[in-house]
Amino acid sequence: LAALVFVVFASSLPAASQNSYDDQYAEGEEAAAPTPAIEPAQILPMPRVTIYPNDTITEEMLANRDYFGEGKGHAVFKTHEGLVGKVSKQTLLPNAPIPVNAVRDPFAIKLGQPAMVIFQSGTLMITGTAVPLQPGSVGEMIALRNTDSNTTIRGIVQADGTVRVGP
């Protein structure tokens, strides 16, 4: 009875599914895998040499190289203009695309070096000296220690190397 059920079941399957595994994957025969389309190369700036953290990137450190798209979708620099003058936050290896988050602007205010602090409200302007408790780039808010009152204040780094506090 079991043989009869198997024969009835096997005869009800489509002809293609009756082939055994060995028939489909016989030795020596491999299914042809589709060949992926080769994407055109992008020209990206890449380091010529290893760039270490806190190194300022110069034009001589970069070269344009072909990039064939492994890992597309990552935010990387497309031109030299956005890189030259920036500072590396991590080790950048030769011939590898440079991620956008791997560099930063140079610090306008350095840790421990006295900085001029400016408070301005309307026509009133007060200046003083403070010691930065952290380095900062233009536009960043940093903490400083007021040397006169020994209190901690916060301000925004300006392009001229001063720190603006207050409104």
Side-chain angles (χ1 to χ4, degrees):
L1 183 65
L4 181 62
V5 172
F6 177 72
V7 171
V8 171
F9 177 73
S11 64
S12 65
L13 292 175
S17 63
Q18 292 180 14
N19 294 337
S20 69
Y21 178 84
D22 293 332
D23 292 341
Q24 290 179 1
Y25 300 101
E27 277 188 42
E29 293 181 31
E30 294 181 14
T35 56
I38 297 175
E39 296 185 30
Q42 288 182 311
I43 307 291
L44 297 177
M46 298 184 194
R48 290 178 193 224
V49 296
T50 301
I51 301 174
Y52 294 99
N54 297 319
D55 284 351
T56 300
I57 299 172
T58 63
E59 189 73 37
E60 293 76 35
M61 293 176 165
L62 302 173
N64 286 327
R65 305 250 194 254
D66 290 338
Y67 180 65
F68 290 95
E70 291 179 21
K72 270 200 171 175
H74 299 305
V76 295
F77 281 93
K78 307 277 189 219
T79 63
H80 286 225
E81 289 78 32
L83 278 168
V84 175
K86 300 273 187 176
V87 177
S88 174
K89 292 183 349 186
Q90 65 188 43
T91 302
L92 303 174
L93 299 175
N95 303 320
I98 301 171
V100 174
N101 63 350
V103 297
R104 61 169 173 80
D105 290 324
F107 291 137
I109 298 290
K110 296 192 175 23
L111 176 69
Q113 292 183 349
M116 180 178 269
V117 178
I118 300 173
F119 172 84
Q120 188 169 7
S121 178
T123 57
L124 174 66
M125 180 182 222
I126 302 172
T127 61
T129 304
V131 177
L133 300 175
Q134 64 192 81
S137 300
V138 174
E140 287 184 340
M141 183 173 280
I142 63 168
L144 304 102
R145 185 175 38 84
N146 185 330
T147 54
D148 295 331
S149 64
N150 214 23
T151 59
T152 300
I153 57 175
R154 297 186 65 75
I156 298 175
V157 178
Q158 304 298 299
D160 61 357
T162 62
V163 179
R164 183 177 56 83
V165 296

